[in-house]
Amino acid sequence: HPRSRPPPTRPGWVALRQTEYCRDYQVLLLTRPENADYARQARVTPVFSMDEALKLAYEKCGLDRPRVTVMPYGANTFPHYPEG
């Protein structure tokens, strides 16, 4: 089970946590359209404007004022998954 033993390196640990977050939550990545495939490989939802990101967050949450975490530089580490 991935939660029972973290990888021995900090980047490995960050990648493992990112994987868990993406499995448990919808993670939006504000990026350029040419990066959309990379975002999907990292199991995050690419969005191309802040308006689009906020619209999805509001729709997903269903609240008038949803709780949103904005990370200007993100975690800087996303895992890469092979196709399939």
Side-chain angles (χ1 to χ4, degrees), residues 7-40:
T9 64
R10 184 176 307 260
W13 173 250
V14 171
L16 175 66
R17 295 300 298 155
Q18 179 68 33
T19 299
E20 290 176 343
Y21 295 146
C22 292
R23 181 188 63 222
D24 297 338
Y25 307 99
Q26 181 179 22
V27 176
L28 306 177
L29 177 67
L30 179 59
T31 188
R32 294 182 294 235
E34 60 267 24
N35 295 329
D37 288 338
Y38 294 119
R40 289 184 195 99

Side-chain angles (χ1 to χ4, degrees), residues 17-82:
R17 295 300 298 155
Q18 179 68 33
T19 299
E20 290 176 343
Y21 295 146
C22 292
R23 181 188 63 222
D24 297 338
Y25 307 99
Q26 181 179 22
V27 176
L28 306 177
L29 177 67
L30 179 59
T31 188
R32 294 182 294 235
E34 60 267 24
N35 295 329
D37 288 338
Y38 294 119
R40 289 184 195 99
Q41 287 175 358
R43 308 235 167 103
V44 298
T45 302
V47 292
F48 310 115
S49 71
M50 197 63 187
D51 287 337
E52 181 184 4
L54 289 172
K55 181 179 180 229
L56 284 173
Y58 278 79
E59 289 172 0
K60 178 83 172 177
C61 189
L63 299 174
D64 290 335
R65 295 179 55 94
R67 184 174 155 198
V68 176
T69 301
V70 177
M71 299 172 59
Y73 298 99
N76 294 324
T77 304
F78 283 96
H80 177 75
Y81 296 97

